[in-house]
């Protein structure tokens, strides 16, 4: 901790404004990445659940769910499914982000950072950047597992990278929701529960696991305008995993999923970063 403190003091001495904010954020991000590497079991346990989802959904539901354009096909459902599993995995980072910030507050580390002449938003920005690094690592491992069970992409390398980029952007946006939750509760356990309780309906009332056309009309509308659904739809298109003849819903986010995903993620970052930084300042006053 003293090394981080000394580094922050040095960064402050070198300049102010945007440059200082960037340097301070990177210092905090480095501190959290180093902490993550020193506790590898956190990363390992974080990988178990998404891997289980890949295996269970692929082999348990693969031959039971009909996908328009692909019918009842294990391989067809597997390709339809993977974008949804990827998106679910990156959004679940909200729980880790919230719990980490709540834990730092509980241990008094946030108070120590507040005593330093550093950019106010740097503590939260650094934390979300570190969470993004962990999410990217998880996504790489998950993609390897998906390939092993038979998932394939059918577009060029640039589009595939763009699909993963949209997924990471959504994950980064959701870590800001986690940051706000972490600042608003008293314990890491409450942050974990608060981060997950609303994620399950968000991810399941979407096009991640079944076509939204199969849902009742009011749920279909919710699913089609769900920010989660937009990123899933965009990733499927960029991966080339949309079945031939798949009927795309008329809702604007489903017709223009890449733009919808970018807009939703940017709005989430803007709104929740503003709220989280304001909460951080008010609790430090």
């Amino acid at each position: 901790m003293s090394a981080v403190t000394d580094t922050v003091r040095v960064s402050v001495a070198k300049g102010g404004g945007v440059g200082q904010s960037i340097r301070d954020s990177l210092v905090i991000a480095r501190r959290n990445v180093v902490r993550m590497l020193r506790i590898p079991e956190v990363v390992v346990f974080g990988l178990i659940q998404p891997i289980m989802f890949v295996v269970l959904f692929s082999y348990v539901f693969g031959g039971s769910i009909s996908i328009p354009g692909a019918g009842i096909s294990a391989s067809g459902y597997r390709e339809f499914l993977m974008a949804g599993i990827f998106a679910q995995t990156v959004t679940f980072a909200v729980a880790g982000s919230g719990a980490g910030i709540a834990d730092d507050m509980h241990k008094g580390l946030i108070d120590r950072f507040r005593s330093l002449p550093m950019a106010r938003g740097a503590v939260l920005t650094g934390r979300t950047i570190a969470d993004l690094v962990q999410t990217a690592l998880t996504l790489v491992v998950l993609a390897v597992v998906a390939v092993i069970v038979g998932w394939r992409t059918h577009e060029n390398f640039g589009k595939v990278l763009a699909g993963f980029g949209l997924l990471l952007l959504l994950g980064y946006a959701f870590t800001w929701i986690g940051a706000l939750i972490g600042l608003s509760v008293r314990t890491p356990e409450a942050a974990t529960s608060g981060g997950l309780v609303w994620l399950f309906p968000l991810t399941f009332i979407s096009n991640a696991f079944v076509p939204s056309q199969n849902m009742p009309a009011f749920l279909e509308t919710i699913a089609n305008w769900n920010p989660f659904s937009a990123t899933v739809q965009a990733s499927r298109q960029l991966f080339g995993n949309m079945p031939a003849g798949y009927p795309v819903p008329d809702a604007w986010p489903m017709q223009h999923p890449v733009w919808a995903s970018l807009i939703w993620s940017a709005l989430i970052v803007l709104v929740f970063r503003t709220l989280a930084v304001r909460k951080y300042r008010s609790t430090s006053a």
Side-chain angles (χ1 to χ4, degrees):
M1 183 65 191
S2 60
V4 174
T5 301
D6 293 340
T7 306
V8 172
R9 292 187 188 279
V10 170
S11 71
V12 171
K14 289 182 178 179
V18 177
Q20 174 187 329
S21 179
I22 293 174
R23 284 190 295 272
D24 292 346
S25 298
L26 292 177
V27 168
I28 301 299
R30 178 179 177 276
R31 173 255 177 188
N32 284 288
V33 171
V34 170
R35 181 187 183 189
M36 176 185 70
L37 295 176
R38 290 176 177 173
I39 315 176
E41 56 267 27
V42 174
V43 180
V44 173
F45 290 141
L47 289 170
I48 292 176
Q49 179 176 304
I51 290 175
M52 288 177 60
F53 270 112
V54 170
V55 175
L56 289 174
F57 273 81
S58 296
Y59 292 107
V60 175
F61 299 108
S64 305
I65 297 178
S66 178
I67 304 299
I72 299 178
S73 164
S75 59
Y77 181 69
R78 192 175 296 120
E79 293 197 353
F80 177 86
L81 168 73
M82 284 316 305
I85 294 292
F86 291 150
Q88 184 187 57
T89 300
V90 301
T91 54
F92 272 31
V94 67
S97 180
I101 291 176
D103 186 52
D104 284 347
M105 291 187 65
H106 184 69
K107 293 178 178 178
L109 294 178
I110 296 294
D111 290 332
R112 294 190 66 179
F113 283 127
R114 287 171 180 161
S115 67
L116 299 174
M118 62 189 299
R120 287 292 190 184
V123 173
L124 303 180
T125 302
R127 174 74 209 197
T128 57
I129 292 174
D131 289 334
L132 180 62
V133 172
Q134 182 174 348
T135 300
L137 176 62
T138 303
L139 205 54
V140 169
V141 175
L142 195 58
V144 172
V145 174
V147 170
I148 292 173
V149 300
W151 173 67
R152 297 293 183 269
T153 59
H154 305 286
E155 291 288 354
N156 60 60
F157 185 67
K159 286 189 176 181
V160 172
L161 280 183
F164 281 114
L166 288 177
L167 289 165
L168 288 175
L169 180 60
L170 180 70
Y172 179 72
F174 271 60
T175 59
W176 280 107
I177 301 177
L180 180 61
I181 293 173
L183 291 168
S184 304
V185 298
R186 296 182 179 181
T187 65
E189 293 79 11
T192 300
S193 300
L196 291 177
V197 67
W198 57 273
L199 267 181
F200 281 101
L202 181 77
T203 56
F204 279 93
I205 305 177
S206 72
N207 60 359
F209 307 111
V210 296
S212 60
Q213 300 94 314
N214 294 356
M215 301 178 184
F218 75 99
L219 286 182
E220 180 183 359
T221 301
I222 295 173
N224 289 338
W225 285 89
N226 185 340
F228 185 84
S229 294
T231 299
V232 172
Q233 186 85 346
S235 298
R236 282 195 185 120
Q237 286 190 3
L238 293 169
F239 293 155
N241 288 156
M242 293 289 290
Y246 182 85
V248 179
D250 292 333
W252 187 87
M254 298 296 99
Q255 293 289 329
H256 307 88
V258 174
W259 281 109
S261 177
L262 289 170
I263 292 170
W264 273 120
S265 295
L267 282 174
I268 293 171
V269 172
L270 177 64
V271 171
F272 283 93
R273 187 184 189 282
T274 301
L275 293 175
V277 172
R278 183 177 300 173
K279 180 71 174 179
Y280 179 86
R281 289 175 175 170
S282 66
T283 54
S284 64

